[in-house]
Amino acid sequence: MSLDFLNAFKFTKKKSFLHQLDPRAKLVLALIYTIIALLFNQIIPLFIIFLSLIPLIIIGKLLKQWLKSIRAMSFLILFILILNTLFISFSFAVAMIFRIYIMVSAFSLFFLTVDPNDLALSLITMKFPYEFAFSFSLAFRFVPTIAIEAQNIIDAQQSRGYEMQEKGLINQIKNLFPLLIPLIICSIRRAFNVAEALESRAFGSKKERTYYYTIKYTAKDWIFTIYLLLVLTFFIILKVQFAYMPEFFLWSLPV
Amino acid sequence: MSGIEKYQTMIMVKNLDYRYPNGTVALKGISLKINKGELVGIMGKNGAGKTTLIRTLNGLIKPTRGEIFINNENTNLKSIAQLSRNIGLIFQNPSHQLFANSVEDEIKFSLKNLDMSKEELQNKVNKVLKEFDLEKYRERSPLNLSGGESKKLAIASIVCRDVGILVFDEPTLGQDAREIESFINLINEERKKNKTIIIITHNIEFTYDYIPRTILMSDGQIIADGPTHHILSNDLLVNKSSLVLPQAQQISLALQDSGFKNTEKITTKNELISYITQILTNNPISEED
């Protein structure tokens, strides 16, 4: 059992149009794509929305990492496919899979291209209290660390004969305790250590803070935001006028 | 123990390579042989590939190339659970494995998959708690133990499985002198049972005093393998591994630089003490000096 797939959500510095954008513009991207994904439950419009994300992934030079994050979701996809096919229809299940892919891809674009430090700065410019912004970016920064720790815990338990695959749902849930308890304890201990380390460096001693780096919403960010708003408007109109759309928009699988 | 059994090969590694998914080459062409009952130290600077090597031994990571044989069986054909019946890997951080409600349950969890009857299991737990001096903590939560006690419990929870090979990752790290002494006693006890023991450590004094064979690693390769006293007396090898010579060796070199003769024979603390005693006996220091 490997947790390597979590690297698919880890920020790496790259030179691309998407990386250079303001984190707030990318947050708008993630939110708008989530909203438009929720507007529809037909295959064709969701597929078009999904396709419209692919050029952004290519521009951001993120194809490899994005494919990893998509592959990592295979278990969840299977779950959605089985449940929706059983209770609604196969066609609806496929549409829901596209919806999940859109949401995960949009947020994966955000996490892959936003430096945790810039994230804190952007929250501060959005008038969030510094303590809140800092904790948020710190939590964001600790995701890969916790993934490494979780992998070490799995390895340590496997070294003493622990086996993940046990029959029955209750047994499988019980089986998570040897992994979850050490992970929670280690995370709480780390949180206390980080808090003490911050306080020993006078965190929060001054209410007014100045920043060495600042971020600005440039013309590039405005153009991108306008593009996103146009996409949102287009899909809202599409939703409102859905009955007048060509028939293939309503196409569904025969099952 | 017969002579044949004594020299039976326990671990055989052939041309082992390992590359992490991100492309980092961690092991390059590792080949080694460890006999049953041997006590081997693995040393080297951080990032040399020591931990990766021991993780390949019990199947936690699969080699990119090459083969590992444990007791003549290819590890590529076995699951981690099967391999864990032969190899016990004790990690640096005990808090990564302790989770049960009590110390007793923690030991029981390790024995769960060993097909024991309830009675056998309870007897084994009692025996292990006694051996490791953990009886007084039987009902206590493992999360409320001190650092040294948690480490002891983590070791006990692996040793109780009666595996043939014990692998320790940095067992002396953060331990006080008494804890290290108790660890040495444990190693001696396990050696009496003819267990094969591998220890990863940066503690050169500990290696020099207690481990007869040392493997030095650098950049994913084995750069030296042989008797500890030969390897750790080699200034060049020691420097390459970001280590410092043992104190006795450092003093012997300092004495040599100051013009003292026959210092090259000094390899241990005891030899150093007798050398200095001899000098002082021949040239007593007067009170006026």
Side-chain angles (χ1 to χ4, degrees):
Chain A
M1 188 177 167
S2 169
L3 295 172
D4 281 342
F5 71 86
L6 280 171
N7 283 332
F9 298 96
K10 196 173 132 189
F11 166 76
T12 38
K13 257 188 188 151
K14 278 182 190 172
K15 272 191 178 172
S16 81
F17 168 74
L18 217 57
H19 282 79
Q20 284 159 3
L21 284 177
D22 189 289
R24 288 164 290 183
K26 286 178 271 194
L27 187 64
V28 173
L29 163 91
L31 293 176
I32 284 183
Y33 268 89
T34 306
I35 293 167
I36 56 177
L38 292 170
L39 287 178
F40 301 94
N41 48 21
Q42 291 82 7
I43 295 176
I44 298 294
L46 285 168
F47 182 63
I48 293 170
I49 300 166
F50 178 70
L51 282 184
S52 71
L53 269 173
I54 292 176
L56 292 175
I57 294 162
I58 295 167
I59 289 170
K61 299 175 185 168
L62 299 164
L63 201 61
K64 232 179 174 182
Q65 281 162 294
W66 173 73
L67 284 172
K68 261 190 194 174
S69 64
I70 292 293
R71 215 180 305 145
M73 286 167 47
S74 35
F75 182 73
L76 178 71
I77 294 302
L78 198 72
F79 195 68
I80 293 171
L81 189 72
I82 294 170
L83 281 186
N84 283 297
T85 310
L86 279 178
F87 295 106
I88 305 172
S89 71
F90 181 66
S91 202
F92 186 76
V94 174
M96 288 306 104
I97 289 170
F98 276 122
R99 182 183 276 178
I100 290 286
Y101 274 150
I102 293 163
M103 290 186 196
V104 170
S105 304
F107 274 95
S108 148
L109 275 177
F110 175 77
F111 285 117
L112 288 170
T113 55
V114 175
D115 188 321
N117 298 324
D118 291 348
L119 180 69
L121 279 177
S122 58
L123 287 172
I124 290 158
T125 52
M126 286 154 83
K127 306 286 175 213
F128 280 97
Y130 176 71
E131 284 80 5
F132 178 84
F134 184 78
S135 318
F136 191 73
S137 74
L138 203 62
F140 190 22
R141 176 248 169 273
F142 270 113
V143 171
T145 313
I146 291 170
I148 293 169
E149 193 141 81
Q151 187 64 62
N152 283 335
I153 291 167
I154 294 170
D155 289 351
Q157 300 298 31
Q158 282 185 321
S159 298
R160 55 179 190 154
Y162 164 82
E163 280 179 273
M164 264 307 273
Q165 296 84 13
E166 275 202 30
K167 282 175 191 165
L169 188 66
I170 293 172
N171 277 340
Q172 280 186 357
I173 293 168
K174 264 189 189 172
N175 220 8
L176 287 174
F177 281 94
L179 304 181
L180 289 179
I181 294 175
L183 189 62
I184 293 167
I185 299 293
C186 288
S187 302
I188 293 172
R189 279 186 185 151
R190 171 171 296 113
F192 277 112
N193 288 341
V194 170
E196 281 170 9
L198 285 172
E199 277 169 358
S200 67
R201 286 190 272 171
F203 179 81
S205 62
K206 275 190 179 176
K207 283 211 165 172
E208 289 291 315
R209 290 185 66 97
T210 53
Y211 299 93
Y212 186 66
Y213 294 106
T214 48
I215 50 168
K216 249 187 176 177
Y217 220 71
T218 59
K220 208 161 41 177
D221 301 309
W222 280 116
I223 293 168
F224 188 68
T225 312
I226 291 165
Y227 159 74
L228 290 170
L229 290 172
L230 286 175
V231 170
L232 178 69
T233 320
F234 170 75
F235 281 103
I236 289 176
I237 293 168
L238 194 68
K239 173 73 185 173
V240 175
Q241 304 290 323
F242 204 66
Y244 304 107
M245 286 297 133
E247 229 172 77
F248 76 91
F249 264 73
L250 293 163
W251 176 82
S252 65
L253 290 158
V255 276
Chain B
M1 184 195 343
S2 72
I4 295 170
E5 195 187 316
K6 190 178 173 187
Y7 296 109
Q8 184 191 329
T9 304
M10 198 64 178
I11 301 170
M12 169 85 90
V13 179
K14 286 181 180 173
N15 299 319
L16 189 77
D17 285 358
Y18 183 74
R19 185 191 292 265
Y20 279 102
N22 65 7
T24 312
V25 178
L27 298 174
K28 283 180 270 185
I30 301 278
S31 289
L32 66 98
K33 199 174 103 174
I34 296 173
N35 288 330
K36 189 171 184 175
E38 256 195 291
L39 171 57
V40 181
I42 303 180
M43 300 190 87
K45 58 184 167 191
N46 291 333
K50 308 179 296 290
T51 305
T52 309
L53 175 62
I54 59 163
R55 279 175 187 241
T56 57
L57 292 182
N58 74 341
L60 289 173
I61 48 177
K62 295 282 176 204
T64 317
R65 191 177 71 99
E67 286 172 316
I68 301 168
F69 294 89
I70 303 288
N71 226 348
N72 292 323
E73 287 183 294
N74 193 332
T75 59
N76 283 335
L77 311 172
K78 302 244 169 195
S79 68
I80 305 170
Q82 283 170 319
L83 288 167
S84 73
R85 287 176 178 246
N86 276 327
I87 304 184
L89 181 54
I90 295 113
F91 285 79
Q92 257 182 52
N93 189 351
S95 52
H96 281 162
Q97 66 177 65
L98 306 178
F99 73 97
N101 286 330
S102 66
V103 168
E104 183 174 0
D105 288 348
E106 199 65 58
I107 304 282
K108 273 185 185 163
F109 176 79
S110 294
L111 300 168
K112 204 180 82 177
N113 299 322
L114 293 182
D115 310 321
M116 286 177 158
S117 69
K118 260 192 173 176
E119 205 186 343
E120 277 176 317
L121 195 135
Q122 193 56 54
N123 288 340
K124 182 78 185 172
V125 171
N126 294 343
K127 196 179 152 207
V128 171
L129 290 176
K130 201 174 174 188
E131 267 178 20
F132 281 84
D133 196 23
L134 288 167
E135 258 181 325
K136 52 184 177 283
Y137 306 124
R138 187 186 281 267
E139 301 297 328
R140 194 186 281 191
S141 162
L143 308 173
N144 292 335
L145 296 177
S146 71
E149 286 155 356
S150 335
K151 192 126 191 169
K152 206 193 264 184
L153 177 59
I155 294 174
S157 71
I158 301 280
V159 173
C160 69
R161 292 170 61 82
D162 275 333
V163 287
I165 305 164
L166 286 169
V167 186
F168 295 89
D169 193 357
E170 289 284 1
T172 57
L173 196 76
Q175 301 281 290
D176 62 30
R178 190 169 284 179
E179 285 161 353
I180 293 178
E181 200 184 305
S182 121
F183 175 69
I184 292 160
N185 291 338
L186 165 83
I187 295 295
N188 291 334
E189 284 305 310
E190 294 304 313
R191 286 202 80 193
K192 279 182 202 160
K193 297 176 198 161
N194 206 23
K195 298 270 173 78
T196 307
I197 300 169
I198 301 171
I199 299 175
I200 289 187
T201 181
H202 283 110
N203 187 337
I204 199 154
E205 301 292 337
F206 170 77
T207 312
Y208 206 81
D209 290 343
Y210 301 103
I211 304 178
R213 176 181 165 192
T214 296
I215 294 170
L216 267 191
M217 291 186 73
S218 178
D219 299 324
Q221 288 173 307
I222 292 178
I223 54 166
D225 179 0
T228 300
H229 286 201
H230 283 182
I231 288 179
L232 299 186
S233 314
N234 188 322
D235 207 9
L236 238 145
L237 285 174
V238 165
N239 274 332
K240 201 172 176 189
S241 309
S242 292
L243 299 166
V244 284
L245 286 170
Q247 281 178 352
Q249 296 276 320
Q250 287 181 40
I251 297 169
S252 116
L253 284 175
L255 287 170
Q256 199 176 17
D257 289 345
S258 312
F260 287 90
K261 284 174 185 162
N262 298 327
T263 56
E264 63 279 359
K265 287 176 190 163
I266 304 168
T267 54
T268 63
K269 254 184 270 175
N270 289 340
E271 283 167 0
L272 179 68
I273 292 166
S274 55
Y275 184 86
I276 294 173
T277 316
Q278 209 182 338
I279 294 171
L280 292 175
T281 320
N282 294 339
N283 308 292
I285 302 168
S286 68
E287 274 184 23
E288 283 165 15
D289 291 339

